[in-house]
Coordinates of all heavy atoms in Angstrom, one line a residue:
V74 N -0.9 5.2 -0.4 CA -1.8 4.3 0.3 C -2.8 5.1 1.2 O -4.0 4.8 1.2 CB -1.0 3.3 1.1 CG1 -1.9 2.5 2.0 CG2 -0.3 2.4 0.2
S75 N -2.3 6.1 1.9 CA -3.2 6.9 2.7 C -4.3 7.6 1.9 O -5.4 7.7 2.3 CB -2.4 7.8 3.6 OG -1.6 7.1 4.6
T76 N -3.8 8.2 0.8 CA -4.7 8.9 -0.1 C -5.8 7.9 -0.6 O -7.0 8.3 -0.6 CB -4.0 9.5 -1.3 OG1 -3.0 10.4 -0.8 CG2 -4.9 10.3 -2.2
L77 N -5.4 6.8 -1.0 CA -6.4 5.8 -1.5 C -7.3 5.3 -0.4 O -8.5 5.0 -0.7 CB -5.6 4.6 -2.2 CG -4.9 4.9 -3.4 CD1 -4.1 3.7 -3.9 CD2 -5.8 5.3 -4.5
T78 N -6.8 5.2 0.8 CA -7.6 4.8 2.0 C -8.7 5.8 2.2 O -9.9 5.5 2.5 CB -6.7 4.6 3.2 OG1 -5.7 3.6 3.0 CG2 -7.6 4.3 4.4
L79 N -8.3 7.1 2.0 CA -9.4 8.1 2.1 C -10.4 8.0 1.1 O -11.6 8.0 1.4 CB -8.7 9.5 2.0 CG -8.1 10.2 3.2 CD1 -7.4 11.4 2.8 CD2 -9.1 10.4 4.3
L80 N -10.1 7.8 -0.1 CA -11.0 7.6 -1.2 C -11.9 6.4 -1.0 O -13.1 6.4 -1.3 CB -10.3 7.5 -2.6 CG -9.5 8.7 -3.0 CD1 -8.7 8.4 -4.3 CD2 -10.4 9.9 -3.1
V81 N -11.3 5.3 -0.5 CA -12.1 4.1 -0.3 C -13.1 4.3 0.8 O -14.3 3.9 0.7 CB -11.2 2.9 0.1 CG1 -12.0 1.8 0.7 CG2 -10.3 2.4 -1.1
N82 N -12.7 5.0 1.8 CA -13.6 5.3 3.0 C -14.8 6.2 2.6 O -15.9 6.2 3.2 CB -12.9 5.8 4.2 CG -12.4 4.8 5.1 OD1 -13.1 4.2 5.9 ND2 -11.1 4.4 4.9
I83 N -14.5 7.1 1.6 CA -15.6 8.0 1.2 C -16.7 7.2 0.5 O -17.9 7.5 0.6 CB -15.0 9.1 0.2 CG1 -14.1 10.1 1.1 CG2 -16.1 9.8 -0.5 CD1 -13.4 11.0 0.1
S84 N -16.3 6.2 -0.3 CA -17.3 5.5 -1.1 C -17.8 4.2 -0.3 O -19.0 3.8 -0.4 CB -16.8 5.0 -2.4 OG -15.6 4.2 -2.3
R85 N -16.9 3.5 0.4 CA -17.3 2.3 1.1 C -16.6 2.4 2.5 O -15.4 2.0 2.6 CB -16.7 1.1 0.4 CG -17.4 0.8 -0.9 CD -18.8 0.2 -0.7 NE -19.4 -0.2 -2.0 CZ -20.0 0.6 -2.8 NH1 -20.1 1.8 -2.6 NH2 -20.5 0.1 -4.0
P86 N -17.3 2.9 3.5 CA -16.7 3.1 4.8 C -16.1 1.8 5.4 O -16.7 0.8 5.6 CB -17.8 3.5 5.7 CG -18.8 4.2 4.7 CD -18.6 3.3 3.5
V87 N -14.7 1.8 5.5 CA -13.9 0.7 6.2 C -13.1 1.3 7.2 O -11.9 1.6 7.0 CB -13.2 -0.1 5.2 CG1 -12.6 -1.3 5.8 CG2 -14.1 -0.5 4.0
A88 N -13.6 1.6 8.4 CA -12.8 2.4 9.4 C -11.6 1.6 9.8 O -10.5 2.3 10.0 CB -13.7 2.6 10.6
A89 N -11.6 0.3 9.9 CA -10.5 -0.5 10.3 C -9.3 -0.3 9.4 O -8.1 -0.5 9.8 CB -10.8 -2.0 10.4
L90 N -9.5 0.0 8.1 CA -8.5 0.2 7.1 C -7.6 1.4 7.6 O -6.4 1.3 7.6 CB -9.1 0.5 5.8 CG -8.2 0.4 4.5 CD1 -7.5 -1.0 4.5 CD2 -8.9 0.6 3.3
G91 N -8.3 2.5 8.0 CA -7.5 3.7 8.4 C -6.8 3.4 9.8 O -5.7 4.0 10.0
V92 N -7.4 2.6 10.6 CA -6.8 2.3 11.9 C -5.4 1.6 11.7 O -4.5 1.8 12.5 CB -7.7 1.4 12.7 CG1 -7.0 0.9 14.0 CG2 -9.0 2.1 13.1
I93 N -5.3 0.8 10.7 CA -3.9 0.2 10.3 C -3.1 1.1 9.5 O -1.9 1.3 9.8 CB -4.2 -1.1 9.6 CG1 -5.0 -2.1 10.5 CG2 -2.9 -1.8 9.2 CD1 -5.4 -3.4 9.9
V94 N -3.6 1.7 8.4 CA -2.8 2.4 7.5 C -2.2 3.7 8.1 O -1.1 4.0 7.9 CB -3.7 2.7 6.2 CG1 -2.9 3.8 5.3 CG2 -3.9 1.5 5.4
F95 N -3.1 4.5 8.7 CA -2.6 5.8 9.2 C -1.5 5.8 10.3 O -0.5 6.6 10.1 CB -3.8 6.7 9.7 CG -4.8 6.9 8.7 CD1 -6.2 7.0 9.0 CD2 -4.5 7.1 7.3 CE1 -7.1 7.4 8.0 CE2 -5.4 7.4 6.3 CZ -6.7 7.5 6.7
P96 N -1.5 4.9 11.2 CA -0.3 4.9 12.1 C 0.9 4.5 11.4 O 2.0 4.9 11.7 CB -0.8 3.8 13.2 CG -2.3 3.9 13.2 CD -2.6 4.1 11.7
L97 N 0.8 3.5 10.5 CA 2.0 3.1 9.7 C 2.5 4.2 8.9 O 3.8 4.4 8.8 CB 1.6 1.9 8.8 CG 1.4 0.5 9.5 CD1 1.0 -0.5 8.5 CD2 2.7 0.1 10.2
T98 N 1.7 5.0 8.3 CA 2.1 6.2 7.5 C 2.8 7.2 8.4 O 3.9 7.7 8.1 CB 0.9 6.8 6.9 OG1 0.3 5.9 6.0 CG2 1.3 8.0 6.0
A99 N 2.2 7.4 9.6 CA 2.9 8.3 10.6 C 4.3 7.8 10.9 O 5.2 8.7 11.0 CB 2.0 8.4 11.9
L100 N 4.5 6.6 11.1 CA 5.8 6.0 11.4 C 6.8 6.3 10.2 O 7.9 6.7 10.5 CB 5.6 4.5 11.7 CG 7.0 3.7 11.9 CD1 7.7 4.2 13.1 CD2 6.7 2.2 12.0
L101 N 6.3 6.0 9.0 CA 7.2 6.2 7.9 C 7.5 7.7 7.6 O 8.6 8.0 7.2 CB 6.5 5.6 6.7 CG 6.4 4.0 6.7 CD1 5.7 3.5 5.5 CD2 7.9 3.4 6.8
V102 N 6.6 8.6 7.9 CA 6.8 10.0 7.8 C 7.9 10.4 8.9 O 8.9 11.1 8.6 CB 5.6 10.9 8.2 CG1 5.9 12.3 8.3 CG2 4.6 10.7 7.0
A103 N 7.8 9.8 10.0 CA 8.9 10.1 11.1 C 10.2 9.6 10.7 O 11.2 10.3 10.9 CB 8.4 9.4 12.4
V104 N 10.3 8.4 10.2 CA 11.5 7.8 9.7 C 12.2 8.6 8.6 O 13.4 9.0 8.7 CB 11.4 6.3 9.3 CG1 12.6 5.8 8.7 CG2 11.0 5.5 10.6
D105 N 11.4 8.9 7.6 CA 11.9 9.7 6.5 C 12.4 11.1 6.8 O 13.3 11.6 6.4 CB 10.9 9.8 5.4 CG 11.5 10.3 4.0 OD1 12.6 10.0 3.7 OD2 10.7 11.0 3.4
S106 N 11.6 11.7 7.8 CA 11.9 13.1 8.2 C 13.0 13.2 9.2 O 13.8 14.2 9.1 CB 10.6 13.7 8.7 OG 9.5 13.7 7.7
F107 N 13.1 12.3 10.1 CA 13.9 12.5 11.3 C 15.2 11.6 11.3 O 16.1 11.9 11.9 CB 13.2 12.4 12.6 CG 12.0 13.5 12.7 CD1 10.8 13.1 12.6 CD2 12.4 14.8 13.1 CE1 9.8 14.1 12.7 CE2 11.4 15.7 13.2 CZ 10.1 15.4 13.0
L108 N 15.0 10.4 10.7 CA 16.1 9.4 10.9 C 16.8 9.1 9.6 O 18.1 8.8 9.6 CB 15.4 8.1 11.4 CG 14.8 8.2 12.8 CD1 14.2 6.9 13.2 CD2 15.8 8.7 13.8
A109 N 16.2 9.1 8.4 CA 16.8 8.8 7.1 C 17.8 9.8 6.7 O 17.6 11.0 7.0 CB 15.7 8.6 6.1
P110 N 18.9 9.4 6.1 CA 19.9 10.4 5.6 C 19.3 11.1 4.4 O 18.4 10.6 3.7 CB 21.1 9.4 5.2 CG 20.4 8.1 4.9 CD 19.3 8.0 5.9

Side-chain angles (χ1 to χ4, degrees):
V74 170
S75 292
T76 302
L77 292 175
T78 298
L79 276 176
L80 296 176
V81 168
N82 270 280
I83 289 173
S84 59
R85 294 285 189 276
V87 188
L90 196 58
V92 173
I93 296 173
V94 168
F95 295 148
L97 287 175
T98 301
L100 174 62
L101 293 175
V102 170
V104 171
D105 188 36
S106 301
F107 297 105
L108 300 178

